[in-house]
Amino acid sequence: MRRAARVLGIRVAPAALLIGLGTGCSLLETEPEPAKEAGSDKVAGGAKPAEIEETVAKGGTVGGKASPCALPVTFDIAKDWKAEAVSMPPEIGLNTAANVSLVCEIDAKPAGSIGFLRVWTGDQETEDPRRALQLFITDSAKSREAEEYSETRAGEYEAVEVSYLNTHDLLDEPKKERAFAFAMPQGVVIMQLDGMDSAEHDAMLPAYGLAKESVRAS
């Protein structure tokens, strides 16, 4: 199990480097105030998350009792991607964002990409997925542009999806990120695609789409 947080596939220790880089780790508390345009889900400069047209070969399943990550849901992962449970003392706070905790990382590196599909879970049964996703994005990507929410489906569940540009000043350049959230009896589940840069993000989208389409109860 992982004992240190990762940023862009690199193991790091200084907490300052974890602020707003898609790791979900926060040292400052903020209240999300997404500036939506009237009558739409668009946040200034946003564009509806593009449909994922390419497909990818299935390489395994995550979420069941025999998988590396014990989750309330099961989903398929792309060939050669490697899943690993995240274990870290909760008091450290490096694996939490808003009301959710990081519980599983699926690493794309064995498949030739640099990035992760991350699974975050909450324990509030009545939490609204849209609100949970807004809180999560506000906490994990404090500087962002082109933010757009849309209704979608995650396998058999109704879901909310967001795409945006993470513009944190510690990044070499803005990078695309995407996530979706849905409600389970145990609490909300958020799955986030976090690549090293926008090119890696685009290359990993088919794997993200496979996971999203295959979600079912464990």
Side-chain angles (χ1 to χ4, degrees):
M1 292 187 180
R2 199 166 266 106
R3 298 296 179 183
R6 290 184 177 181
V7 178
L8 307 182
I10 302 174
R11 293 183 184 273
V12 297
L17 294 180
L18 300 174
I19 300 176
L21 291 180
T23 66
C25 306
S26 170
L27 299 182
L28 300 175
E29 295 182 359
T30 59
E31 286 295 326
E33 295 293 342
K36 294 184 181 179
E37 295 179 359
S40 79
D41 285 332
K42 186 182 294 184
V43 178
K48 184 177 179 179
E51 296 294 330
I52 301 171
E53 298 181 354
E54 296 184 30
T55 59
V56 65
K58 173 184 172 181
T61 300
V62 171
K65 293 182 179 180
S67 79
C69 301
L71 302 170
V73 294
T74 298
F75 56 92
D76 298 334
I77 61 173
K79 183 179 180 182
D80 294 329
W81 285 51
K82 182 180 179 181
E84 186 175 356
V86 175
S87 177
M88 190 180 299
E91 59 270 18
I92 295 179
L94 298 182
N95 62 332
T96 60
N99 295 329
V100 294
S101 298
L102 178 62
V103 294
C104 186
E105 284 187 337
I106 300 94
D107 189 355
K109 190 177 296 181
S113 295
I114 303 176
F116 298 88
L117 179 62
R118 293 189 167 101
V119 184
W120 306 74
T121 59
D123 57 8
Q124 300 181 29
E125 296 181 14
T126 60
E127 187 165 16
D128 174 67
R130 178 182 290 271
R131 177 63 174 169
L133 191 57
Q134 290 173 337
L135 287 168
F136 171 75
I137 295 304
T138 299
D139 199 9
S140 63
K142 297 186 185 302
S143 177
R144 60 199 183 279
E145 297 176 356
E147 185 179 352
E148 176 77 7
Y149 292 83
S150 65
E151 304 296 325
T152 185
R153 293 196 67 83
E156 59 191 54
Y157 300 98
E158 294 182 356
V160 178
E161 187 171 27
V162 63
S163 63
Y164 57 96
L165 284 175
N166 191 331
T167 58
H168 198 285
D169 57 11
L170 291 181
L171 296 169
D172 290 335
E173 60 183 14
K175 70 186 184 80
K176 298 178 184 177
E177 293 179 3
R178 187 184 289 217
F180 63 90
F182 56 97
M184 293 286 295
Q186 300 91 331
V188 71
V189 176
I190 296 176
M191 298 180 68
Q192 173 202 26
L193 183 64
D194 185 12
M196 184 182 72
D197 54 30
S198 291
E200 294 288 356
H201 172 277
D202 291 345
M204 296 188 297
L205 273 178
Y208 168 91
L210 172 66
K212 177 183 169 187
E213 294 173 1
S214 61
V215 170
R216 64 266 190 196
S218 292

